């Protein structure tokens, strides 16, 4: 593959999967700036290893794998900032304020509180639209394990997002 073909191939991959990759990165790290950095690092590593990508249909999974590994590396390289506990203001859970959360914010928060083993397969399915088989390949799990984790994630979300008095009906 010559230089121009390589550039065209890489540009096509970035155009096709860039938005999905960024969206997944934001869900992983919950920080748009860090997500942008993760995507850039993913592109850099993908560019260097582009010759290893044989099947363009596998590009999405390939990029997600690179992104997940980059996300894991961020914790190896960086120590997250630590806030002084005395400076943290904790709102009462039942306290309604002037900036009540929207349903989307509640959902994001509930998803963020899921254990990673449940959150990641759910996000791969919902945000990136991957099939159970593709998720199983990404996470190196069986398809039945992925289905179980997605089901449990959805059940936990239902419980967390249902009104408190709904359980008594």
């Amino acid at each position: 593959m010559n230089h121009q073909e390589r550039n065209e191939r890489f540009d096509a991959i970035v155009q096709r999967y860039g938005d999905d990759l960024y969206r997944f990165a934001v869900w992983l790290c919950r920080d748009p700036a860090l997500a942008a950095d993760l995507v850039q690092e993913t592109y850099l590593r993908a560019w260097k290893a582009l010759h290893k990508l044989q099947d363009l249909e596998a590009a999405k999974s390939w990029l997600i794998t690179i992104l997940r590994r980059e996300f894991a590396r961020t914790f190896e390289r960086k120590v997250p900032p630590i806030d002084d506990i005395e400076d943290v203001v904790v709102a009462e859970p039942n306290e309604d304020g002037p900036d009540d959360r929207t349903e989307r914010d509640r959902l994001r928060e509930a998803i963020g509180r899921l254990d990673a083993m449940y959150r990641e397969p759910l996000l791969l399915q919902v945000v990136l639209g991957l099939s159970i088989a593709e998720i199983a390949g990404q996470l190196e799990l069986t398809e039945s394990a992925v289905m179980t984790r997605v089901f449990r994630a959805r059940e936990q979300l239902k419980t967390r997002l249902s009104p408190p008095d709904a359980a008594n009906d």
Side-chain angles (χ1 to χ4, degrees):
M1 167 175 7
N2 67 34
H3 187 68
Q4 182 178 352
E5 290 171 339
R6 182 179 178 165
N7 283 342
E8 289 171 1
R9 184 177 194 190
F10 187 75
D11 287 346
I13 291 170
V14 169
Q15 290 295 321
R16 185 168 183 190
Y17 302 115
D19 292 340
D20 288 340
L21 206 59
Y22 176 73
R23 188 171 30 255
F24 184 62
V26 170
W27 272 103
L28 276 180
C29 67
R30 299 183 200 111
D31 178 358
L34 179 56
D37 289 346
L38 285 171
V39 171
Q40 289 303 313
E41 285 297 319
T42 299
Y43 288 154
L44 179 62
R45 288 187 185 274
W47 173 257
K48 290 178 181 178
L50 189 60
H51 64 281
K52 295 179 184 177
L53 179 64
Q54 301 300 317
D55 181 11
L56 282 179
E57 294 301 315
K60 187 174 187 177
S61 295
W62 181 63
L63 289 170
I64 292 167
T65 300
I66 296 170
L67 178 73
R68 289 178 60 239
R69 289 181 181 154
E70 275 306 306
F71 178 62
R73 282 187 197 100
T74 60
F75 297 108
E76 294 171 2
R77 293 187 297 243
K78 294 182 188 176
V79 176
I82 299 173
D83 293 329
D84 186 1
I85 192 72
E86 293 181 24
D87 295 338
V88 176
V89 177
V90 179
E92 291 296 320
N94 296 331
E95 184 177 274
D96 288 332
D99 54 69
D100 291 353
R101 293 188 183 116
T102 64
E103 287 299 311
R104 186 191 74 227
D105 292 337
R106 286 185 63 225
L107 179 60
R108 281 181 185 255
E109 183 180 323
I111 290 172
R113 288 194 321 250
L114 291 173
D115 287 336
M117 68 183 286
Y118 299 122
R119 181 179 58 241
E120 197 164 3
L122 180 68
L123 292 176
L124 287 170
Q125 184 186 50
V126 174
V127 175
L128 291 179
L130 296 184
S131 69
I132 295 296
E134 290 170 323
I135 296 168
Q138 281 292 313
L139 301 179
E140 298 175 349
L141 297 169
T142 64
E143 289 184 28
S144 61
V146 171
M147 288 189 291
T148 299
R149 289 181 183 192
V150 169
F151 174 79
R152 289 183 179 164
R154 290 176 183 271
E155 289 299 307
Q156 287 179 24
L157 287 176
K158 283 181 196 174
T159 301
R160 291 178 183 180
L161 295 174
S162 63
D165 60 333
N168 298 331
D169 290 345

